[in-house]
């Protein structure tokens, strides 16, 4: 019984710290979907992130209850803790499963979506949403082209500004320290040369795997908290089961 109390107190403090880690993972997924929304066509992709954020908020009162019960048992607090742990398990399992599902699904669709937007590109100063998305992703990820910078030469849209003898890439491929860069392929040292597809896939995998790991670890900790709370409840059983 004393071990169960100590474990419940430790887990309560751990829940507070874990809430910050889970919220970070949730917001990371949400912001990534917002920043690269033109490349992620699935409208439900931010859902795992929002579920994680809600779970992080629920973790805070759960931690308070766990610490409080470890100091002084209360049948009402014990019942409330069991309810919160059940809610958290549902939220986190759903978030983990959806994160893995969307990661696999988006990886297979990302190449075709990105290739289409890059092919339709028709100039740095165009106001078309697709053009702004291409320029934004190349600046944020410090990349150029889908696979690499040579994709701009293979595309029919590569002639959108200058004659063929002056092969170039969009100015969003330029490194920031070169203020006079115009995307001239004869000055490769001024350009990002890695492709955007691999970098965006890496960010997607990092975000979804981080969220999956957080949810999995926290689910295990919550099962331990439930077991500890159950041990304490056995020593002071409910006579009126309506509290559950």
């Amino acid at each position: 019984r004393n071990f169960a109390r100590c474990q419940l107190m430790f887990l309560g403090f751990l829940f507070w710290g874990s809430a910050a880690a889970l919220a970070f993972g949730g917001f990371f997924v949400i912001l990534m979907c917002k920043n690269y929304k033109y490349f992620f066509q699935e409208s439900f992709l931010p859902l795992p992130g929002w579920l994680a954020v809600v779970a992080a908020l629920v973790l805070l009162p759960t931690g308070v209850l766990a610490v409080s019960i470890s100091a002084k048992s209360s049948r009402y607090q014990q019942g409330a803790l069991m309810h919160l742990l059940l809610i958290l398990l549902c939220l986190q399992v759903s978030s983990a499963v959806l994160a893995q599902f969307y990661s696999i699904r988006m990886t297979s669709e990302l190449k075709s979506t990105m290739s289409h937007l890059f092919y339709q590109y028709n100039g740095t100063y165009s106001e078309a949403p697709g053009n702004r998305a291409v320029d934004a992703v190349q600046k944020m990820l410090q990349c150029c082209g889908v696979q690499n910078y040579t994709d701009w030469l293979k595309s029919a849209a590569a002639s959108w500004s200058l004659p063929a003898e002056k092969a170039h890439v969009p100015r969003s491929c330029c490194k920031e320290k070169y203020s006079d860069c115009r995307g001239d392929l004869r000055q490769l040292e001024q350009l990002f040369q890695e492709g955007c597809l691999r970098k965006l896939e890496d960010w997607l995998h990092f975000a979804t795997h981080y969220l999956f790991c957080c949810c999995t670890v926290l689910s295990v900790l919550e099962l331990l908290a439930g077991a500890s709370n159950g041990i304490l409840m056995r020593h002071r059983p409910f006579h009126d089961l309506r509290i559950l």
Side-chain angles (χ1 to χ4, degrees), residues 45 96-111 201 204-205 208-209:
L45 185 58
V97 171
L98 287 174
Q100 284 297 97
F101 172 76
Y102 285 130
S103 176
I104 296 170
R105 182 171 176 176
M106 289 300 101
T107 298
S108 62
E109 296 180 358
L110 190 56
K111 182 177 180 179
E201 285 179 342
L204 176 63
H205 290 155
T208 53
H209 289 173

Side-chain angles (χ1 to χ4, degrees), residues 1 12 14 27 40-41 50 55 88 95 103 105-106 121 124-126 132 141-142 157 170 187 192 198 222 229:
R1 185 181 177 184
L14 198 59
F27 280 121
F40 299 125
Q41 299 299 317
W50 285 114
L88 282 169
S95 181
S103 176
R105 182 171 176 176
M106 289 300 101
Y121 186 89
T124 301
Y125 300 108
S126 172
R132 293 200 301 268
L141 297 182
Q142 299 185 348
Q187 298 175 315
F192 301 120
R198 179 65 180 274
E222 286 152 13
N229 191 37

Side-chain angles (χ1 to χ4, degrees), residues 35-41 109-124 126 128-138 145-146 151-152 155-158 160 170 172 196-197 200:
N35 291 335
Y36 306 113
K37 60 183 178 180
Y38 288 102
F39 301 98
F40 299 125
Q41 299 299 317
E109 296 180 358
L110 190 56
K111 182 177 180 179
S112 60
T113 303
M114 182 175 284
S115 298
H116 175 74
L117 286 174
F118 273 70
Y119 182 82
Q120 295 296 323
Y121 186 89
N122 58 10
T124 301
S126 172
N131 287 5
R132 293 200 301 268
V134 169
D135 285 328
V137 76
Q138 292 191 143
V146 179
D151 290 330
W152 290 110
S155 172
W160 35 259
S172 53
C196 297
L197 178 61
L200 190 52

